[in-house]
């Protein structure tokens, strides 16, 4: 089981005290530099909104569960504090046209930044939200949210709430902590897709088994997309729990987490040392893992910059000064699950060093509470609050998938992200700045020098030497002293594919449209024993430039044939009705399986 539930050794406390004393001066400078929104090289400074600085901290909205088989939600609230508060970051309010009641972003602001038309007609898309416990004001708050932003009021079919058995009663016990997560999830989906139907499935508890039951119920009730804003340290789970996140033809999104690469951010709490694993279910190969970014808007409401979300600052200056996790998008190479073929062969995957293992994330979207969404939660929070975390990016991406027509029948809809990003690069914004490890936006040279200054007693440049557990992917994980190692894309944004943001962030829903081919089998209805039968695969490729390279035929009589041609032949030795299965693989490494039957007579 993960170290998240083991008692840490006390060396970190000593290191934390040394770090605090020696790093105080550097902390102030780094925090100021990291927290003030900066324009990109392609954006003139005059185009970025300039106004009064405000100060805030990020408050996690879900406590760490004590049980080893329980999930934690990934929501952070932006809480305003006074200037000089330890760990506070500076931010500016968005323009009035982009600002909600609590000073966060409005649905229209997010829609504009990501190229969304929320009024696309998608009534056939049912987006399910799986959470635990009950928010008794979920529907009332959603209706108030709708009215405030001019969204059509909910109907009996546009929003439904059920328990993990699919019944409207009895619902789980109400819980204020869960209420804000539920409000964030359902209101985010409605902000992005005004015409989708929403199904809220409330599990009895945050345990694996209850959430797996709720996940299965969402699929059983016809969900085309399922959003999961929670997770736990990756560890072996039961076959039934694993199966709950594999529903061919259903899009399943999952947050990569709010605690940085391999959850190193927990080390900012004295006595803790992270997990050294990614978060599950985001690490599962069949889900769409969603990372988080910091979004900065220009004065006209368009995207000015988008970087990897890491509120700890360069070389953890902010998190270290506060001795508390500040929030950073999660991820990392799985230690249990293989990468899908479309990820493993995507340009840039090999450079991350996962060696055939799954790498979270696949895609990313806004998550930083600094650029969070204003949501209404009266039961848990008493009103409007600004909330972020990858609990925002997961339902946001789920709704974007719905706008892109869900899976459109694709068995493995995550492949669309990779095929579309490769065929149509303009459909995604390539995040190239920042990291979700200890070094954050630092170069490894600057980060190593900062670590050396904090560890004069040890004389080491490696942040993985500071305590127990790994903290940054670019440095040796055996704590060896290395001054300036190459930047690793496992936890740093680079041009193209990387661990924190996957292929990047969407520019409109087309990034999620189906790309795998459709296939049918042409054959005679009946045939004779010991007579050759001709079978033809009729394929329609939907990814630009893709073509089928492998046809694997299973004849139903214990024999199979692999060909590179769409047409092949088979002879049956006995009469009967046989199931013929065809599996194809195209040049984007997408796989499709179809089946037919043939009757053989004497």
């Amino acid at each position: 089981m993960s170290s998240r539930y083991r008692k840490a050794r006390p060396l970190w406390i000593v290191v934390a005290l040394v770090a605090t004393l020696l790093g105080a001066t550097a902390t102030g400078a780094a925090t100021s530099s990291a927290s003030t929104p900066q324009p990109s090289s392609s954006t003139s400074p005059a185009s970025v909104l300039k106004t009064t600085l405000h100060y805030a901290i990020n408050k996690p909205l879900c406590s760490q569960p004590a049980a080893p088989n329980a999930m934690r939600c990934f929501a952070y609230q932006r809480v305003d504090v006074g200037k000089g508060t330890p760990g506070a970051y500076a931010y500016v309010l968005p323009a009035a046209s982009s600002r909600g009641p609590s000073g966060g972003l409005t649905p229209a602001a997010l829609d504009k930044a990501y190229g969304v038309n929320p009024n696309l007609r998608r009534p056939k898309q049912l987006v399910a939200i799986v959470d635990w416990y009950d928010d008794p004001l979920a529907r009332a708050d959603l209706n108030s949210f709708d009215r405030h932003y001019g969204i059509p009021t909910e109907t009996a079919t546009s929003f439904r709430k059920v328990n993990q058995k699919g019944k409207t009663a009895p619902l789980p016990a109400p819980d204020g902590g869960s209420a804000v997560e539920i409000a964030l999830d359902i209101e985010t989906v409605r902000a992005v897709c005004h015409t989708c139907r929403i199904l809220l499935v409330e599990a009895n508890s945050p345990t694996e088994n209850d959430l797996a039951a709720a996940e299965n119920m969402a699929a059983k009730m016809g969900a085309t997309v399922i959003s999961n804003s929670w997770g736990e340290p990756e560890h072996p789970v039961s076959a039934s729990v694993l199966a709950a996140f594999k529903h061919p033809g259903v899009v399943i999104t999952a947050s990569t987490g709010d605690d940085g690469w391999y959850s190193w951010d927990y080390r900012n709490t004295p006595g803790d040392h992270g997990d050294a694993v990614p978060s599950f279910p985001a690490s599962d190969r069949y889900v769409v893992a969603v990372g988080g970014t910091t979004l900065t808007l220009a004065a006209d409401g368009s995207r000015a910059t988008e970087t990897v979300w890491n509120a700890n600052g360069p070389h953890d200056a902010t998190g270290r000064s506060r001795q508390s996790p500040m929030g950073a998008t999660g991820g990392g190479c799985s230690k249990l699950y293989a990468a899908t073929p479309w990820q493993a062969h995507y340009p840039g995957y090999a450079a991350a060093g996962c060696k055939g293992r799954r790498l979270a994330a696949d895609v990313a979207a806004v998550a930083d509470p600094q650029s969070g969404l204003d949501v209404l939660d009266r039961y848990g929070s008493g009103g409007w609050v600004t909330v972020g975390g990858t609990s925002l990016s997961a339902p946001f991406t789920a709704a974007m998938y719905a706008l892109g027509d869900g899976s459109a029948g694709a068995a493995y809809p995550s492949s669309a992200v990779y095929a579309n990003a490769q065929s149509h690069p303009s459909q995604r914004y390539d995040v190239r700045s920042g990291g979700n490890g200890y070094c954050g936006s630092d170069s490894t040279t600057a980060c190593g020098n900062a670590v050396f200054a904090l560890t004069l007693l040890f004389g080491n440049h490696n942040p993985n030497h500071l305590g127990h557990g790994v903290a940054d992917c670019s440095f040796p994980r055996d704590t060896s002293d290395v001054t300036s190692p190459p930047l690793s894309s496992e936890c740093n944004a680079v041009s193209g594919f990387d661990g924190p943001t996957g292929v990047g962030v969407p520019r409109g829903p087309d990034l999620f449209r189906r790309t795998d081919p459709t296939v049918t089998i042409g054959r005679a209805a009946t045939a004779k024993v010991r007579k050759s039968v001709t079978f033809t695969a009729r394929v329609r490729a939907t990814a630009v430039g893709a073509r089928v390279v492998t046809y694997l035929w299973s004849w139903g009589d214990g024999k199979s044939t692999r060909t590179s041609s769409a047409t092949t032949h088979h002879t049956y030795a006995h009469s009967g009705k046989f199931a013929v299965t065809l599996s194809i693989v195209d040049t984007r490494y997408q796989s499709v399986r179809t089946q037919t039957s043939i009757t053989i007579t004497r």
Side-chain angles (χ1 to χ4, degrees):
M1 184 59 208
S2 166
S3 62
R4 183 97 295 278
Y5 303 102
R6 294 199 301 265
K7 184 177 180 181
R9 287 160 285 182
L11 179 59
W12 167 254
I13 299 176
V14 177
V15 176
L17 291 173
V18 173
T20 302
L21 292 172
L22 296 180
T25 302
T27 296
T31 302
S32 174
S33 171
S35 301
T36 303
Q38 299 292 324
S40 68
S41 58
S42 61
T43 306
S44 66
S47 68
V48 178
L49 184 69
K50 294 187 177 181
T51 187
T52 305
L53 286 178
H54 298 260
Y55 299 88
I57 59 172
N58 294 335
K59 173 188 174 184
L61 293 175
C62 290
S63 60
Q64 177 64 45
N69 65 338
M71 304 286 181
R72 176 182 180 175
C73 83
F74 295 131
Y76 266 90
Q77 180 183 348
R78 188 184 74 195
V79 179
D80 283 352
V81 295
K83 183 179 180 180
T85 300
Y89 58 82
Y91 75 95
V92 296
L93 290 172
S97 60
S98 302
R99 187 164 66 237
S102 187
L105 296 178
T106 64
L110 288 182
D111 292 344
K112 180 175 182 178
Y114 288 95
V116 171
N117 176 4
N119 295 309
L120 289 175
R121 295 293 299 164
R122 294 293 184 268
K124 293 183 179 179
Q125 294 298 317
L126 178 61
V127 181
I129 300 297
V130 174
D131 283 313
W132 53 86
Y133 302 139
D134 179 42
D135 175 6
L137 299 180
R139 178 186 290 275
D141 284 350
L142 180 57
N143 273 322
S144 296
F145 179 88
D146 293 344
R147 284 193 297 271
H148 184 84
Y149 290 117
I151 300 171
T153 302
E154 303 302 323
T155 67
T157 57
S158 71
F159 175 78
R160 296 180 62 197
K161 180 171 71 170
V162 298
N163 61 25
Q164 68 186 49
K165 295 183 178 180
K167 306 296 184 181
T168 57
L171 293 171
D175 180 80
S178 294
V180 65
E181 174 66 56
I182 290 171
L184 173 66
D185 290 344
I186 62 177
E187 291 170 22
T188 298
V189 171
R190 183 56 75 226
V192 177
C193 187
H194 295 177
T195 63
C196 301
R197 292 173 293 131
I198 298 175
L199 173 67
L200 172 60
V201 184
E202 296 180 331
N204 292 338
S205 76
T207 60
E208 292 171 356
N209 288 336
D210 280 344
L211 286 166
E215 197 85 7
N216 289 329
M217 182 53 61
K220 183 178 180 180
M221 295 182 70
T224 55
V225 185
I226 304 174
S227 175
N228 306 288
S229 293
W230 34 264
E232 63 180 338
E234 179 185 83
H235 67 279
V237 298
S238 67
S240 60
V241 169
L242 197 60
F245 299 97
K246 183 184 179 183
H247 292 280
V250 179
V251 180
I252 299 177
T253 66
S255 304
T256 59
D258 291 351
D259 307 300
W261 172 78
Y262 275 5
S263 297
W264 73 271
D265 196 8
Y266 283 123
R267 287 179 37 178
N268 281 318
T269 300
D272 210 334
H273 55 97
D275 297 320
V277 291
S279 176
F280 175 86
S283 66
D284 184 277
R285 68 198 306 251
Y286 294 110
V287 309
V288 179
V290 187
T293 62
T294 298
L295 173 67
T296 302
L297 300 182
D300 64 358
S302 62
R303 177 194 287 112
T305 63
E306 197 152 7
T307 60
V308 175
W309 171 44
N310 188 342
N312 294 283
H315 56 267
D316 192 31
T318 307
R320 187 175 67 250
S321 71
R322 193 162 179 251
Q323 293 193 34
S324 173
M326 295 298 294
T329 185
C333 301
S334 170
K335 295 186 177 181
L336 296 177
Y337 307 115
T340 57
W342 45 90
Q343 183 186 71
H345 292 90
Y346 191 79
Y349 166 83
C354 289
K355 299 178 181 178
R357 294 291 183 178
R358 163 82 158 133
L359 176 59
D362 298 304
V363 68
V366 60
D368 190 344
Q370 179 177 323
S371 50
L373 177 68
D374 273 5
V375 299
L376 180 61
D377 166 43
R378 290 178 294 176
Y379 187 78
S381 306
W384 289 93
V385 286
T386 302
V387 188
T390 51
S391 278
L392 170 58
S393 60
F396 180 89
T397 300
M400 289 281 274
Y401 252 107
L403 286 179
D405 209 22
S407 72
Y412 305 111
S414 68
S415 65
V417 170
Y418 293 87
N420 281 320
Q422 196 165 5
S423 299
H424 306 285
S426 63
Q427 291 178 355
R428 93 286 190 270
Y429 177 84
D430 187 11
V431 178
R432 303 181 183 184
S433 177
N436 62 349
Y438 176 95
C439 294
S441 57
D442 263 357
S443 67
T444 56
T445 299
C447 184
N449 289 339
V451 170
F452 186 82
L454 297 172
T455 58
L456 295 179
L457 297 177
F458 309 110
N460 197 302
H461 297 79
N462 187 348
N464 297 326
H465 185 75
L466 286 173
H468 304 291
V470 293
D472 195 276
C473 67
S474 296
F475 288 81
R477 300 176 197 185
D478 60 4
T479 74
S480 298
D481 184 14
V482 177
T483 304
S484 303
L487 199 70
S488 170
S489 59
E490 185 185 351
C491 68
N492 292 283
V494 297
S495 178
F497 181 77
D498 55 62
T501 65
V503 303
V505 299
R507 280 178 162 160
D510 285 349
L511 181 66
F512 306 110
R513 293 193 184 277
R514 178 177 179 168
T515 56
D516 63 344
T518 58
V519 58
T520 57
I521 300 173
R523 83 286 184 264
T526 60
K528 297 288 186 179
V529 171
R530 292 183 290 278
K531 297 289 185 181
S532 178
V533 185
T534 300
F535 294 84
T536 301
R538 296 167 180 163
V539 178
R540 183 175 68 85
T542 55
V544 174
R547 58 182 178 81
V548 177
V549 292
T550 301
Y551 302 82
L552 178 61
W553 302 84
S554 178
W555 303 114
D557 60 356
K559 298 180 180 179
S560 60
T561 303
R562 184 186 297 272
T563 71
S564 58
S565 171
T567 299
T568 189
H569 310 276
H570 185 66
T571 300
Y572 287 90
H574 305 284
S575 61
K577 188 174 183 179
F578 298 89
V580 178
T581 303
L582 169 63
S583 299
I584 64 172
V585 179
D586 70 7
T587 49
R588 293 282 191 253
Y589 297 94
Q590 300 177 114
S591 58
V592 176
R593 183 174 180 270
T594 190
Q595 192 175 72
T596 188
S597 63
I598 188 170
T599 300
I600 304 299
T601 61
R602 292 191 178 277

